[in-house]
Amino acid sequence: MTITITAFERSPDGGQGLARDTRVRWALEEVGQPYEVRLVSFTAMKEPAHLALHPFGQIPTFEEGDLALFETGAIVFHIAQRHAGLLPDDANARARAITWMFAALSTVEPPILELGSARFLESDKSWSAQRMPLVKDRVRDRLTQLSARLGDADWLDGPFSAGDLMMVSVLLRLKASGLLDEYPNLSAYVARGEARPAYKRAFEAQLAVNKPPAG
Amino acid sequence: MTITITAFERSPDGGQGLARDTRVRWALEEVGQPYEVRLVSFTAMKEPAHLALHPFGQIPTFEEGDLALFETGAIVFHIAQRHAGLLPDDANARARAITWMFAALSTVEPPILELGSARFLESDKSWSAQRMPLVKDRVRDRLTQLSARLGDADWLDGPFSAGDLMMVSVLLRLKASGLLDEYPNLSAYVARGEARPAYKRAFEAQLAVNKPPAG
């Protein structure tokens, strides 16, 4: 059965790999599953056909036979459960890897999303400059804790897992802010993720969609 | 094997059931698993013994035999996978229920957390009143989409699942804001969750910890 995912017709980040389809592409590359991509415009994302697939009008979605999923975390988890390579076999280790997926999305990413809102949606507001340090400190609180837990390990809990895939993807959003540079072990952790061949293939594939035509 | 979870010694909400141990208690009540609770003070939460269990120094945690987990979503998912009652048997329906768990935590809850930060951490700031409508509108964006998807169904996708448990828990955080009242079908959805005997038992159990002593 063919796997089809959706991605932005034109990603707001111009191909930096921060759109969430990169996370799903990365997971599919790690487990060696081919996939097709259907590109969706900003207009089409808010229309009934796409809303039927994704109630929040976002990308990515995932279709395989009669299964249709939305929500990046759920899609990556589904891929990790169906194919070897992203979750350990041992039941306890598997539960811990899944824990890191949830931690990335519901504990580490929310303050990073808030920083994104402050930078991109509130930069023209009167409070923007004064409020920014406060927002950054909320991100630092999480990074300090994550850095302490990671220590000098390569990955969060044993071998690379879907938990690391998600955590690295979340941290990549901080690159432009410079915050990651304050935590050398987290910077190195993200670099290890980016160096994986599967990540590189995923990154190139999303870039090919967003690269301005040559010439 | 005994299941032990952690909860606040004194919840910041004074027993309104918004602390995240209520979500785990609810899941355990739905599947009929007894559990013990270890209460943790704010000081102890930031000390090495608790940080070893929970790298972000929060509650709840989950211990059973030699398995230790943190992160509410992961704990509820673990309970739902191990015991009947919170996830459908059919593989596709199961993947969709898991999708709603992730949607609750990583799409619907982040703007609600941001509203919480605005109300409780920034209420004394010069920008507070001016910024609030903007923060509330971000929550409304999500509620409008969720309300459209739910329609007049009882639950998000077929019978009650861990996805509904998580979504209702996330929406409960909006009660004091009045925002939920703008969406009658979502208010009714939350009320259906609260009316479940398992929720009531979970709520009473957390209230018993936080109730001021009588007399």
Side-chain angles (χ1 to χ4, degrees), chain A residues 57-136:
Chain A
Q58 299 177 329
I59 60 95
T61 57
F62 173 100
E63 291 161 273
E64 186 178 19
D66 58 357
L67 176 64
L69 298 177
F70 64 98
E71 199 69 38
T72 310
I75 296 171
V76 170
F77 174 69
H78 178 78
I79 294 164
Q81 260 210 329
R82 292 299 180 285
H83 307 281
L86 281 172
L87 287 174
D89 290 330
D90 172 73
N92 284 3
R94 200 174 178 92
R96 289 197 305 270
I98 295 168
T99 293
W100 282 110
M101 288 190 68
F102 279 101
L105 293 169
S106 53
T107 295
V108 178
E109 193 164 36
I112 295 176
L113 294 175
E114 197 169 337
L115 177 62
S117 299
R119 291 180 67 207
F120 300 113
L121 304 178
E122 299 180 35
S123 62
D124 60 339
K125 303 297 180 196
S126 58
W127 58 78
S128 178
Q130 208 187 338
R131 184 171 173 269
M132 190 58 88
L134 203 139
V135 178
K136 286 190 170 172

Side-chain angles (χ1 to χ4, degrees), chain A residues 1-211:
Chain A
M1 272 188 301
T2 308
I3 292 173
T4 303
I5 69 167
T6 50
F8 287 123
E9 192 181 58
R10 267 266 166 282
S11 175
D13 74 351
Q16 291 178 63
L18 302 180
R20 287 183 176 79
D21 58 289
T22 304
R23 303 179 186 187
V24 171
R25 292 174 188 270
W26 187 4
L28 288 164
E29 291 288 353
E30 290 283 352
V31 303
Q33 286 295 306
Y35 62 97
E36 295 185 355
V37 183
R38 191 170 65 246
L39 301 178
V40 191
S41 70
F42 286 109
T43 314
M45 281 169 68
K46 309 299 172 191
E47 285 170 358
H50 189 72
L51 286 171
L53 265 177
H54 197 314
F56 301 103
Q58 299 177 329
I59 60 95
T61 57
F62 173 100
E63 291 161 273
E64 186 178 19
D66 58 357
L67 176 64
L69 298 177
F70 64 98
E71 199 69 38
T72 310
I75 296 171
V76 170
F77 174 69
H78 178 78
I79 294 164
Q81 260 210 329
R82 292 299 180 285
H83 307 281
L86 281 172
L87 287 174
D89 290 330
D90 172 73
N92 284 3
R94 200 174 178 92
R96 289 197 305 270
I98 295 168
T99 293
W100 282 110
M101 288 190 68
F102 279 101
L105 293 169
S106 53
T107 295
V108 178
E109 193 164 36
I112 295 176
L113 294 175
E114 197 169 337
L115 177 62
S117 299
R119 291 180 67 207
F120 300 113
L121 304 178
E122 299 180 35
S123 62
D124 60 339
K125 303 297 180 196
S126 58
W127 58 78
S128 178
Q130 208 187 338
R131 184 171 173 269
M132 190 58 88
L134 203 139
V135 178
K136 286 190 170 172
D137 278 349
R138 278 181 212 149
V139 177
R140 283 190 186 98
D141 285 346
R142 291 289 176 246
L143 296 184
T144 302
Q145 293 164 320
L146 184 66
S147 172
R149 169 53 69 105
L150 180 65
D152 56 8
D154 277 357
W155 307 112
L156 287 166
D157 192 334
F160 177 83
S161 78
D164 294 298
L165 185 153
M166 204 56 84
M167 191 66 81
V168 167
S169 299
V170 162
L171 296 177
L172 274 167
R173 303 202 150 224
L174 287 174
K175 261 196 164 179
S177 74
L179 283 175
L180 214 48
D181 304 328
E182 300 174 16
Y183 303 84
N185 69 335
L186 294 183
S187 297
Y189 171 67
V190 169
R192 270 190 295 278
E194 290 179 292
R196 293 179 71 84
Y199 178 81
K200 288 185 183 171
R201 289 193 296 273
F203 183 87
E204 290 304 326
Q206 67 77 34
L207 184 62
V209 174
N210 290 289
K211 206 158 38 183

